[in-house]
Amino acid sequence: MTDTDRTGDSVVPPVPAGPKQQFELGTGPGRVLVWFYGVFTVAAASRSIVQMILDFDKAPLAYVLSAVAAVVYGFITYSLVRGGERARRAALVCCAAELAGVLVIGTWTLLEPSAFPDATVWSDFGMGYLFIPVILPVTGMIWLRRARNA
């Protein structure tokens, strides 16, 4: 049986508001972010492993920094996929650390090129990777801050 208003027309009862849906970090533009971080995890890890096996004595600092970048990228990827508030905060902290690393290493490679006989992922602000290493953490932090407000 349906309710009717005074004119006799049927009235559809209002749909009760459900609980606020949790913002999914791995959907929409967040999925693209996860994809980029996943690709950079594989790229940085592969590069550093091969370099450390074949030429570790040539540039140990550069190769270890590439491995550190791979770990940071991997943790951010995992956090974005996992979702939830704790993972979002952890990813936000790692994105800030990543940006700091890119800026410090990028500046260091420009001021003291002899310290890096071979490039890292973050050398010259990620120039070897089309500057994506400096753009990615900024984009990530913007997305993660937006996720908090959703």
Side-chain angles (χ1 to χ4, degrees):
M1 184 170 192
T2 60
D3 293 331
T4 57
D5 65 8
R6 290 183 201 171
T7 63
D9 293 334
S10 42
V11 176
V12 178
V15 177
K20 185 178 178 183
Q21 291 185 355
Q22 182 179 2
F23 191 86
E24 295 293 328
L25 296 173
T27 60
R31 187 171 294 171
V32 175
L33 193 62
V34 168
W35 183 85
F36 267 105
Y37 270 112
V39 167
F40 268 76
T41 300
V42 172
S46 302
R47 176 182 182 155
S48 65
I49 290 168
V50 169
Q51 290 173 324
M52 286 193 284
I53 290 171
L54 299 178
D55 293 321
F56 188 73
D57 294 338
K58 180 180 173 188
L61 178 61
Y63 303 155
V64 169
L65 287 172
S66 287
V68 168
V71 170
V72 170
Y73 291 143
F75 186 79
I76 293 170
T77 304
Y78 170 76
S79 297
L80 291 172
V81 169
R82 178 160 185 210
E85 183 57 22
R86 284 183 60 192
R88 185 198 66 78
R89 281 184 280 161
L92 189 59
V93 168
C94 282
C95 283
E98 175 194 357
L99 181 59
V102 172
L103 296 175
V104 168
I105 301 305
T107 303
W108 191 1
T109 56
L110 293 176
L111 297 176
E112 180 96 27
S114 63
F116 295 90
D118 203 355
T120 74
V121 175
W122 296 341
S123 293
D124 303 318
F125 305 103
M127 185 169 63
Y129 290 88
L130 305 174
F131 297 102
I132 293 172
V134 78
I135 296 167
L136 200 54
V138 173
T139 306
M141 288 189 296
I142 291 169
W143 179 254
L144 290 163
R145 294 213 21 119
R146 180 177 166 209
R148 182 186 73 191
N149 297 330

